[in-house]
Amino acid sequence: MKKKIIYFVILISVIFLQLSLVPAFFDLSKGPDLVLMLVLAWTIRDGFEKFISWMILAGVLNDLLDYSSVGTHVIIFVFSSYMVSFLSRFFVVQIRGIGFLFLAVFVFLSMFFARSLIFLLPVLNENGNSFAQIWQNFNIWQGFGYGFAFNMIFVMISLWFIKHIKKYFFI
Amino acid sequence: MQKFSQTKFFKVLVVVIFFWLLILFVPVSFFQPLRSTALFLAAPFQKVLYFISVKTAQTGDFVFSIGQLKNDNENLIRENQSLLAENARLADVEKENKFLREQLNFLPKERFEFIPAAIISQDSQNLGNWMEIDKGSEDGLAEGMPVVVSKGVLIGRLQDVYAHNAKVILLTNPKSAVNGVAGENGTKGIIKGEYGLGIMYDMVLQTDSLQIGDDIITSGISGSLPRGLYVGKIQEIHPSNDHLFQQATVASPVQIAKLQFVFVIKNSKQ
């Protein structure tokens, strides 16, 4: 129970930070994806299977508060985490050495998948827009580099934070 | 050997297919009650956090700008001198402007009822597509109402209205399209969003006159928005991809990310 309460508080706080703090501090499309990075860090620390129900909850809450179609972030979180979990079998993710490089690759792939889905979903679902319009949307990727840098910082903070929270509360 | 139904991949597949079908086939309105409750519960926390974030960001901007203050001060002294002369000229222009407003029906504020609202969150993908305000249907708001900042600058329209919250679709949202007029000639066009990157003035006939620096206001055509709400200035003009129309990039005077309060034009008082 203690673990559930702590996890929920962390999760909802990060969702609030994403919605209220990030837009005030970062320019258009250059901000970090705080919730996605927290989910990745949690998957690395807890493992995919232990955390899957939390991913679904995080995704649904994020979608409700973010005015997105319910399910969008669930798919992003579950797929990204599975990818991390799958690749972690072959590569050791660490904050130092070669593990850091793998962490960067995971963050990059997750971001790429998340942004692709978020921008393609409305285009594919709604008006049957042309391929030209989909291509036009790609100018949105201009903030990807900044987003990646901020995400790397946040995922490392998340890894450190989760490790210490688990240690402190014995969860 | 592990059964396929017990593998991680199977779980992922089930979750992804389930939520994909949910996105495709379940109407957005199905989740309205749940979303309304979640937004209601989250609003107080988000309001406080958003306020603190904006204030902190503004303080940060101020600290970084101290070095520029000396130069700015010298520039301001020079500017002040030229403004004194300009002021005298504008007094005359004001008379003319007053007459034109009466003629063109530009933003007759006395005719509108403004509802002030605090912003409590913005597009989490940082694309400037939407923002959330702390007023909703219980305050008399309804979908489609225009949202302006204090000086009567249009920034968007209400899209989803809940009991105590509402989503504002911003002019920079690609789904936003508003009829506009530009410049002294009243050149008609469509004010459209460009995936959070800015505002475009589109569908302007090649034969119509359009100048850099022209002001763009809402035209009031179709009746969804009143005439005369200011949108921005034309920054750059270029032909459309098919060369049938002119397009222009519009610079809005409003920095959305730093806003704390907006006004919703509820209705006409007439």
Side-chain angles (χ1 to χ4, degrees), chain B residues 119-130:
Chain B
I119 301 165
I120 56 177
S121 73
Q122 290 197 33
D123 184 354
S124 68
Q125 297 304 317
N126 257 26
L127 299 172
N129 281 335
W130 59 267

Side-chain angles (χ1 to χ4, degrees), chain B residues 31 50-51 54 70 83 103-104 109 113 130 136 141 144 182 206 212 216 228 247 264-265:
Chain B
F31 292 101
Y50 186 80
F51 181 78
V54 171
K70 197 183 164 198
L83 283 174
Q103 294 296 308
L104 295 171
K109 287 180 186 171
E113 188 182 346
W130 59 267
L141 304 191
Q206 288 285 9
I212 289 173
I216 296 190
Q247 290 179 330
V264 181
I265 297 180

Side-chain angles (χ1 to χ4, degrees), chain B residues 81-178:
Chain B
Q81 288 163 350
S82 65
L83 283 174
L84 285 171
E86 182 77 1
N87 197 26
R89 192 181 66 79
L90 285 176
D92 185 46
V93 174
E94 192 187 354
K95 281 183 198 168
E96 188 186 340
N97 193 19
K98 195 178 171 188
F99 173 76
L100 285 172
R101 276 174 189 268
E102 283 166 7
Q103 294 296 308
L104 295 171
N105 219 6
F106 271 28
L107 191 59
K109 287 180 186 171
E110 63 281 356
R111 281 175 46 203
F112 294 115
E113 188 182 346
F114 291 96
I115 305 287
I119 301 165
I120 56 177
S121 73
Q122 290 197 33
D123 184 354
S124 68
Q125 297 304 317
N126 257 26
L127 299 172
N129 281 335
W130 59 267
M131 60 167 59
E132 184 188 355
I133 57 173
D134 69 341
K135 294 279 161 59
S137 55
E138 294 210 347
D139 304 287
L141 304 191
E143 280 182 25
M145 286 180 175
V147 179
V148 297
V149 290
S150 56
K151 289 172 186 168
V153 182
L154 180 72
I155 58 164
R157 281 194 284 186
L158 296 185
Q159 192 184 43
D160 300 324
V161 180
Y162 299 89
H164 305 282
N165 313 68
K167 179 186 177 184
V168 180
I169 178 170
L170 298 174
L171 291 179
T172 47
N173 191 314
K175 290 176 192 165
S176 165
V178 173

